Amino acid sequence: MYDFKSIKLDKNQSQHLYIQLYKKIKELILQGHLMEEERLLPVRKMAKTLEVNNVTVVKAYEILEKEGLVYKRIGSGTYIAKELPQELNNEDDISKHQASVKNQLMEQGHVKVEKNMINFASATPSAELFPVEDFKRVLNEVLDRDKGHAFDYQEGKGYYPLRSVLNKYIKHYGIEADTESIQIISGAQQGIDIISKALINYGDYVVIESPSYTGAMAAFHSRGAKIIDIPLQKDGLDLETLEKKIKIYKPRFIYVMPNFQNPTGISYSISKKKEILNICKRHNIYIVEDDYLSDLDFNSNDSTTLKKLDNHEIVIYVKSFSKIFMPGLRLGFLVIPSKLHHNLLMAKHTTDISTSGLLQRAFELYLNKGIWQKHLAYMEEQYKERFLLMEESINQYFPKYVDCQLPLGGVNFWLKLPKGFSSNKLYERAVKENVIFAPGNLFFMGNQDEGYFRLSIASVNPSEIKYGIKLLGNLIGEYIDNKEELRKDITIKPIL
Amino acid sequence: MYDFKSIKLDKNQSQHLYIQLYKKIKELILQGHLMEEERLLPVRKMAKTLEVNNVTVVKAYEILEKEGLVYKRIGSGTYIAKELPQELNNEDDISKHQASVKNQLMEQGHVKVEKNMINFASATPSAELFPVEDFKRVLNEVLDRDKGHAFDYQEGKGYYPLRSVLNKYIKHYGIEADTESIQIISGAQQGIDIISKALINYGDYVVIESPSYTGAMAAFHSRGAKIIDIPLQKDGLDLETLEKKIKIYKPRFIYVMPNFQNPTGISYSISKKKEILNICKRHNIYIVEDDYLSDLDFNSNDSTTLKKLDNHEIVIYVKSFSKIFMPGLRLGFLVIPSKLHHNLLMAKHTTDISTSGLLQRAFELYLNKGIWQKHLAYMEEQYKERFLLMEESINQYFPKYVDCQLPLGGVNFWLKLPKGFSSNKLYERAVKENVIFAPGNLFFMGNQDEGYFRLSIASVNPSEIKYGIKLLGNLIGEYIDNKEELRKDITIKPIL
């Protein structure tokens, strides 16, 4: 039962107490802290607990009832509604989705990205880095070899030779699996979608990192999941909170990016990686590991995946190639615990039957001929140059009161303005100067603007980085210098 | 409140009455006729209504309670459980999914289809019909023209020039839309999946034809929809039942295939098409029209789509190219009422962000250069030859007690064995002789085997048709002649 004592009302605030109480309870319901069919305290008891008038409680309960959030059972009390009213759900859906799309559009560089813009917003490589000629060659080779069969339905799990070569490929990363454990997907977003279909029933709980990838939140939300977000620390999730929440909510799974997390760029310590596996094993909970970037390890030398450490088949591994290859191919793969093979295959079928056979066949050839390894080395080199330049430029041009825990690899840098300053406002200024980035609110469940922002090196070439960061540094200075009253509160504190 | 009088128990059956009653109520719950939190009749009243002993009812309620399907409130009665027990749901999921996958696998010719088999099961064209060389040419043209951009993320709605040429294309079919109403999808199954995401909330009702496409049922089911299936008549859905069910259940939409329906091959009469639009308009309900084949109109000259007749923006039109082009491309499109643009785009994003840009660009060129029209004419010719040969062969070789309403177009023929005979048993015999088809139970919600089966001409070449149908005709004869006791009941009656 929820401890209503923790509701704090403020008698000094101008807002009526019953409105404050109504809002607090509504929030608790929408966030899933108060569950369907849970009984609210009886009026007198609630009034006593919160040290308010009975009338305050009656009025608050009345509004909640009108909105369909609670209902009364005669002679028994007031209960949380079984189903939240349609309108509320929808509103919520739409704002979530809007955030998600905004983010995705930005990631894809479709929104407001003009040709001459410096784009720190997109986390996907720019088109000039794509190995077009090499891929064209394997495409044609496949067409000449397989003819019509290249356009036939592919096996739901994926083209067998591709799964087989991927299985060999992940052994280099220490992941031992069999070919049947590999499920081809049309990009990581689809992977997350079919995992959600296979595992989440309406009303189930899911744990995510805060902040996290918006596309994942949208997919979980779309399945009717209740999302518990747990703040990230410098070396990964706060494990005490994690275990506490797992005990309370029994989530279906936790969704994490343990290497160069998106958006923060942080990497979990090896001890946290191991301990998360222990906790989830103890409580019998799956881990969805989204590995979008562990290949780009510039400084850590420890981008071990959870899947590599997984001795109990509890990790579902999601691998995207969008960040180091070509996002428009829409290809990726999952490594799945054997218990889940069947369910995930079913979910894939319901989703789109199978992934394009032509593209799978071409990619298989690409991997098998070793062109992939060549390309990966090339991308590492390209990205490393940008990465070092970025570190250097941030150190040189950003005011010291901008917090940044420099990442050990990957493509994302996560920064924070001093308290009281908005990254959305900074964004508005920057757009006018033809520089864009991803405001931090996009990555939080509550969409809150706490001054965080993400800079990515994927879509900017080296010549733009120094210029762009210098410009952005100046804009931050101007923005903050204009607010003398806030400047005096600025303290330099760690970002996470 | 459910009218329990309609429960019929059979005192002459060997099964105990309380088991019969338990099974009937369980069925009513699983089919959604008894809703969560609905109260069952009190024991004595139920016993009186059904003219059985009190003990019979008590025992039945006890089993239901043990299985978690109902629960007791002290002093108040027995109620349907709020959530069905996990295991039941799962079982149900799995059997649905299994049926779905079985079907899909068969459609794709992956299951038990050996090289030398005559495949009446698959409804997708065989690889030798694919325009590989033409498509290879446009692929290379796109790569030379667009270079890396061909592999970039595509706009979520789809590549604009492709949407634009599709908009022109559908005008030939009398569909007036604007380019913004067109949403590119990775195949029809994905279209159905994202429509489900955008429209179905957990527990919503959806109306389908019975029989129908299993992949659609699986997608609706996966969203937690309650599915109402309405039997097809010779000229389309039974409209009286449709309106009655709409009034009772207020479904989110009805899902129909008004031309050459899958699996039955029937086409709706023009008057039924119009009346369905009127009914749905009257009750403010969307229609999802799955147009997988209206292009292949051999005899009807009236394969008007509902979308063409839709003056009130209530039809969501789903167009697949898998049946007349190349299933492995995974391309199709939706035409969407303007009110739903936003929601469907969001759902597409959550599903896979965007469809492969390379394939969209190549297909755009293919359409724009008029190669598509050439290919369509070629496919019509190929299919028409098979279609006529199929009609002739069925008339010549099938025993007269096999019912068949010959279709007016499309690729599917729907047949029925005499009462008491199983199409699954026929399938087992046919497989041994290297002939396969789709048993009818795959297309029914309840998976019931009532002797229906589907023969498709998509994957058989003309030389196989006559031989295959003759063989199948003989097998049917043998199967049925062996069961003298059932043969005497055989009457020839219309299939629908």
Side-chain angles (χ1 to χ4, degrees), chain B residues 180-210:
Chain B
E180 287 313 297
S181 304
I182 293 178
Q183 168 73 54
I184 303 297
I185 48 179
S186 307
Q189 181 68 35
Q190 181 181 76
I192 294 167
D193 184 47
I194 68 172
I195 290 168
S196 303
K197 280 205 181 88
L199 291 183
I200 301 175
N201 286 312
Y202 182 82
D204 281 347
Y205 285 90
V206 165
V207 167
I208 65 169
E209 299 158 329
S210 177

Side-chain angles (χ1 to χ4, degrees), chain B residues 9 92 121 144 163 206 217 255 258 288 292 394 426 442 489:
Chain B
L9 305 180
D92 198 31
D144 292 339
R163 287 189 283 128
V206 165
M217 297 183 216
Y255 168 79
V288 177
Y292 77 117
I394 287 176
L426 177 63
L442 296 172
D489 290 333

Side-chain angles (χ1 to χ4, degrees), chain B residues 256-459:
Chain B
V256 290
M257 292 168 272
N259 293 297
F260 320 129
Q261 201 259 0
N262 180 18
T264 63
I266 71 150
S267 293
Y268 285 43
S269 64
I270 185 73
S271 64
K272 274 214 170 166
K273 284 177 181 169
K274 287 181 179 163
E275 194 45 32
I276 280 187
L277 283 160
N278 288 337
I279 291 172
C280 289
K281 170 68 189 134
R282 204 149 58 228
H283 296 280
N284 224 341
I285 284 168
Y286 286 112
I287 299 172
V288 177
E289 176 180 30
D290 188 347
D291 179 12
Y292 77 117
L293 262 191
S294 71
D295 322 71
L296 292 183
D297 183 355
F298 301 131
N299 293 315
S300 84
N301 297 317
D302 191 15
S303 55
T304 308
T305 62
L306 295 180
K307 189 69 200 168
K308 179 181 171 183
L309 304 170
D310 176 23
N311 297 319
H312 301 284
E313 291 226 288
I314 59 170
V315 175
I316 306 167
Y317 178 80
V318 185
K319 184 69 188 170
S320 154
F321 293 122
S322 300
K323 305 291 175 272
I324 31 179
F325 195 46
M326 308 195 284
L329 266 196
R330 313 309 300 128
L331 273 182
F333 66 95
L334 305 177
V335 185
I336 307 171
S338 45
K339 265 191 188 171
L340 296 175
H341 287 186
H342 181 72
N343 283 355
L344 275 156
L345 180 58
M346 304 303 100
K348 169 71 179 168
H349 270 288
T350 309
T351 302
D352 70 351
I353 303 183
S354 62
T355 293
S356 158
L358 175 65
L359 299 178
Q360 289 189 61
R361 283 161 195 258
F363 192 49
E364 186 269 328
L365 219 53
Y366 191 86
L367 284 165
N368 242 334
K369 286 174 173 253
I371 322 177
W372 165 261
Q373 283 73 359
K374 220 181 64 190
H375 176 68
L376 183 56
Y378 167 74
M379 290 299 278
E380 274 173 344
E381 198 186 292
Q382 294 288 319
Y383 276 152
K384 178 136 195 189
E385 185 190 351
R386 297 178 184 190
F387 188 85
L388 295 175
L389 201 55
M390 190 76 172
E391 278 193 338
E392 195 188 301
S393 305
I394 287 176
N395 278 327
Q396 189 174 352
Y397 296 117
F398 271 19
K400 290 298 160 252
Y401 47 71
V402 175
D403 283 325
C404 180
Q405 180 190 352
L406 292 172
L408 301 171
V411 297
N412 295 322
F413 291 70
W414 184 240
L415 301 106
K416 188 181 188 306
L417 297 174
K419 204 179 162 190
F421 290 93
S422 147
S423 56
N424 282 317
K425 289 204 175 134
L426 177 63
Y427 180 82
E428 286 165 25
R429 284 167 179 254
V431 165
K432 288 186 198 141
E433 303 292 330
N434 278 329
V435 178
I436 59 167
F437 57 81
N441 62 309
L442 296 172
F443 306 97
F444 289 102
M445 284 283 295
N447 210 25
Q448 62 270 32
D449 179 359
E450 290 176 339
Y452 290 100
F453 59 105
R454 189 191 75 181
L455 301 179
S456 171
I457 57 170
S459 278

Side-chain angles (χ1 to χ4, degrees), chain A residues 14-282:
Chain A
S14 65
Q15 201 169 48
H16 285 299
L17 283 174
Y18 73 90
I19 298 279
Q20 288 183 42
L21 177 57
Y22 143 74
K23 284 193 172 170
K24 295 271 182 183
I25 296 177
K26 181 171 174 175
E27 201 179 84
L28 290 170
I29 296 170
L30 292 179
Q31 290 175 349
H33 298 295
L34 288 172
M35 304 291 296
E36 56 184 54
E37 294 283 326
E38 193 167 336
R39 206 174 78 153
L40 290 175
L41 287 184
V43 171
R44 265 179 238 118
K45 205 165 169 192
M46 182 69 94
K48 213 175 154 192
T49 307
L50 303 179
E51 300 174 342
V52 294
N53 238 313
N54 287 345
V55 182
T56 302
V57 180
V58 169
K59 276 188 171 178
Y61 284 13
E62 268 175 12
I63 309 177
L64 290 167
E65 196 184 5
K66 255 188 216 155
E67 292 198 354
L69 290 161
V70 306
Y71 70 100
K72 285 192 180 120
R73 286 201 199 128
I74 307 298
S76 159
T78 303
Y79 293 80
I80 309 303
K82 281 193 297 284
E83 283 197 52
L84 295 186
Q86 199 68 29
E87 309 79 52
L88 286 171
N89 274 327
N90 282 348
E91 245 176 61
D92 199 30
D93 273 339
I94 288 164
S95 76
K96 285 275 158 45
H97 273 312
Q98 271 171 345
S100 153
V101 166
K102 197 170 153 200
N103 182 28
Q104 285 164 356
L105 289 175
M106 287 180 59
E107 297 234 357
Q108 295 153 48
H110 286 299
V111 153
K112 288 187 190 158
V113 184
E114 323 224 329
K115 281 250 161 73
N116 59 343
M117 271 187 164
I118 298 180
N119 183 358
F120 292 112
S122 169
T124 51
S126 32
E128 75 269 13
L129 295 174
F130 300 159
V132 181
E133 282 306 315
D134 283 339
F135 203 75
K136 185 176 156 190
R137 227 170 353 256
V138 291
L139 263 178
N140 279 294
E141 198 172 327
V142 164
L143 287 170
D144 292 339
R145 184 191 68 189
D146 300 344
K147 309 219 164 52
H149 297 290
F151 296 102
D152 220 333
Y153 275 123
Q154 210 56 60
E155 201 187 334
K157 258 198 181 169
Y159 179 56
Y160 185 85
L162 175 59
R163 286 190 284 128
S164 174
V165 66
L166 285 171
N167 193 27
K168 265 185 257 163
Y169 173 70
I170 56 177
K171 286 200 201 311
H172 297 300
Y173 292 82
I175 300 177
E176 287 295 330
D178 55 66
T179 305
E180 287 313 296
S181 303
I182 293 179
Q183 167 74 53
I184 303 296
I185 47 179
S186 307
Q189 181 67 36
Q190 182 181 75
I192 295 166
D193 183 49
I194 70 173
I195 290 167
S196 302
K197 279 206 182 89
L199 290 184
I200 302 174
N201 286 314
Y202 182 83
D204 281 346
Y205 286 90
V206 166
V207 167
I208 65 169
E209 300 159 328
S210 177
S212 183
Y213 168 53
T214 328
M217 298 182 215
F220 305 150
H221 190 77
S222 162
R223 288 294 299 175
K226 291 173 182 161
I227 302 174
I228 313 285
D229 55 342
I230 298 180
L232 277 169
Q233 295 171 331
K234 278 186 179 191
D235 58 349
L237 273 181
D238 169 358
L239 296 187
E240 208 178 307
T241 307
L242 175 66
E243 187 152 20
K244 211 166 70 190
K245 299 274 183 180
I246 285 178
K247 278 183 188 157
I248 301 174
Y249 295 108
K250 313 228 167 300
R252 281 298 275 160
F253 57 79
I254 70 170
Y255 169 80
V256 291
M257 291 168 275
N259 293 298
F260 320 127
Q261 201 259 1
N262 180 18
T264 62
I266 72 151
S267 292
Y268 285 44
S269 65
I270 185 74
S271 64
K272 274 213 171 167
K273 283 177 182 171
K274 286 180 180 161
E275 193 46 32
I276 280 187
L277 282 160
N278 288 338
I279 291 172
C280 289
K281 170 69 189 134
R282 204 147 59 227

Side-chain angles (χ1 to χ4, degrees), chain B residues 142-162:
Chain B
V142 163
L143 287 169
D144 292 339
R145 185 192 67 190
D146 300 343
K147 307 217 166 51
H149 297 290
F151 295 102
D152 219 333
Y153 275 123
Q154 211 53 62
E155 199 188 334
K157 258 199 182 169
Y159 180 55
Y160 186 85
L162 175 59

